[in-house]
Amino acid sequence: MNSEYKSLDKLLILKITEEIDHHTTEKIRRKMDNEITRYMPRKVLFDFNEVSFMDSAGIGLIIGRYKVAKLFGGEVEIANARPSVKKVLEMSGITRIIKINDGIRIAN
Amino acid sequence: MKGLYDNEMKLEFLSKSSNEAFARITVAAFVSQLDPTIEEISDIKTAVSEAVTNCIIHAYEDTDGIVKIVTRLIGNTVEIEISDSGKGIENIELARRPLYTTKANLERSGMGFTIMESFMDEVEISSVVGIGTKIIMKKKIKKIENTTDIKEECCSKTIV
């Protein structure tokens, strides 16, 4: 996972670069919470562009980070999810509380 | 002599979370001989990942045990049997319920069985407390008629 903080917009971009399952979430979770508590961003954007696989562990991961971000008054958004990942996201119902954004281009 | 199934593979591994990716990739590779679509393959990978994760965190609760997977191909249907000798499920009906989880502290979403059921055509759960759990999932791979090949054949014949 890589992260980038844009202080002007108080935007924290968390780019996930691995498959998301129960095994990988433990490590990703720790890193994400470090970044969120460090910057206390207004918005946390999960960039799913490089995520080729996600099972229900990803749902728990996102809901958990949503709660952490909310503690600091921030919101959460998901960008660039592939159809297979989107299918899991939509099934879980979290799309009702977390916005899924398709057309975001994130400059490196 | 023709057996009950056209092809079969068996897999046994330790209940380590690092094997979750290994399990779903191996099953997907075996199933690929039925020529599934990308969507069908990712449905199968997700369902296998859910079932194997259940064995690791619920059945064995992070202790070492053996997870067994048998995958059979019967015509266009894939049958995946995933079993463990772990603690078993007390109430299967409750476990199947969306959002129900006994491991909320691990940030589990309680969507495992719901995903298996909606990504596969059929999911059968049998479990005995203290003995283990067996899950049998089935999915039919839809055959896409390859019309372009036929057309090409026709065309080449007319040219000749």
Side-chain angles (χ1 to χ4, degrees), chain A residues 33 36-37 63-74, chain B residues 107:
Chain A
D33 283 349
I36 297 171
T37 46
I63 295 175
R65 307 300 65 70
Y66 168 81
K67 287 178 182 164
V68 176
K70 231 180 151 190
L71 276 182
F72 304 106
Chain B
E107 288 194 346

Side-chain angles (χ1 to χ4, degrees), chain A residues 19 21-24 29 53-57 59-61 63-65 84 87-88 91-92, chain B residues 17-18 20-21 24 39 42-43 45-46 49-50 53 57 106-109 111 115 118-119:
Chain A
E19 298 198 328
D21 61 17
H22 153 253
H23 178 68
T24 58
R29 179 185 303 137
F53 177 85
M54 186 185 91
D55 66 13
S56 74
I59 306 299
L61 178 76
I63 295 175
R65 307 300 65 70
S84 60
K87 199 170 169 183
V88 177
M91 176 170 297
S92 71
Chain B
S17 66
S18 53
E20 288 159 9
R24 63 176 178 260
E39 190 181 0
S42 63
D43 286 354
K45 277 169 79 177
T46 313
S49 199
E50 299 296 347
T53 304
I57 62 178
L106 294 179
E107 288 194 346
R108 299 298 305 167
S109 60
M111 291 300 289
I115 286 179
S118 53
F119 284 23

Side-chain angles (χ1 to χ4, degrees), chain A:
Chain A
M1 194 209 75
N2 304 320
S3 72
E4 189 190 341
Y5 183 62
K6 297 187 188 289
S7 53
L8 209 64
D9 305 318
K10 290 196 136 200
L11 170 69
L12 177 65
I13 299 166
L14 299 173
K15 191 182 176 101
I16 306 157
T17 49
E18 49 271 272
E19 298 198 328
I20 305 175
D21 61 17
H22 153 253
H23 178 68
T24 58
T25 43
E26 286 179 30
K27 220 196 300 170
I28 302 172
R29 179 185 303 137
R30 232 176 299 131
K31 278 193 195 168
M32 285 181 167
D33 283 349
N34 278 343
E35 296 299 283
I36 297 171
T37 46
R38 180 174 161 200
Y39 293 112
M40 299 187 239
R42 196 175 294 153
K43 191 193 266 184
V44 179
L45 181 71
F46 292 105
D47 185 358
F48 271 66
N49 194 38
E50 284 177 33
V51 178
S52 56
F53 177 85
M54 186 185 91
D55 66 13
S56 74
I59 306 299
L61 178 76
I62 295 162
I63 295 175
R65 307 300 65 70
Y66 168 81
K67 287 178 182 164
V68 176
K70 231 180 151 190
L71 276 182
F72 304 106
E75 55 177 281
V76 168
E77 215 172 286
I78 293 170
N80 305 324
R82 292 174 199 202
S84 60
V85 171
K86 220 184 254 179
K87 199 170 169 183
V88 177
L89 290 171
E90 277 163 3
M91 176 170 297
S92 71
I94 63 166
T95 48
R96 269 174 274 161
I97 52 165
I98 295 166
K99 207 166 125 191
I100 300 199
N101 212 321
D102 278 329
I104 292 193
R105 280 186 55 92
I106 295 157
N108 286 319

Side-chain angles (χ1 to χ4, degrees), chain B residues 34-143:
Chain B
L34 289 185
D35 217 5
T37 61
I38 293 169
E39 190 181 0
E40 285 165 336
I41 273 290
S42 63
D43 286 354
I44 290 169
K45 277 169 79 177
T46 313
V48 169
S49 199
E50 299 296 347
V52 170
T53 304
N54 278 352
C55 298
I56 294 167
I57 62 178
H58 295 288
Y60 295 119
E61 296 194 298
D62 286 320
T63 57
D64 279 353
I66 300 285
V67 180
K68 288 181 192 171
I69 302 182
V70 183
T71 309
R72 300 183 185 97
L73 309 180
I74 309 141
N76 285 345
T77 303
V78 185
E79 186 184 282
I80 305 164
E81 185 185 304
I82 299 180
S83 57
D84 62 68
S85 326
K87 69 170 191 179
I89 304 170
E90 269 174 46
N91 187 337
I92 293 176
E93 211 180 306
L94 201 57
R96 284 186 116 126
R97 198 177 290 171
L99 305 175
Y100 175 82
T101 180
T102 53
K103 298 258 189 264
N105 56 325
L106 294 179
E107 288 194 346
R108 299 298 305 167
S109 60
M111 291 300 289
F113 277 123
T114 312
I115 286 179
M116 284 182 240
E117 279 165 351
S118 53
F119 284 23
M120 303 293 282
D121 298 336
E122 240 177 88
V123 179
E124 204 183 291
I125 310 167
S126 44
S127 188
V128 179
V129 173
I131 303 288
T133 302
K134 180 156 86 182
I135 287 169
I136 299 175
M137 309 188 276
K138 289 178 192 167
K139 190 176 180 75
K140 195 172 176 183
I141 303 299
K142 292 175 189 75
K143 280 274 172 242

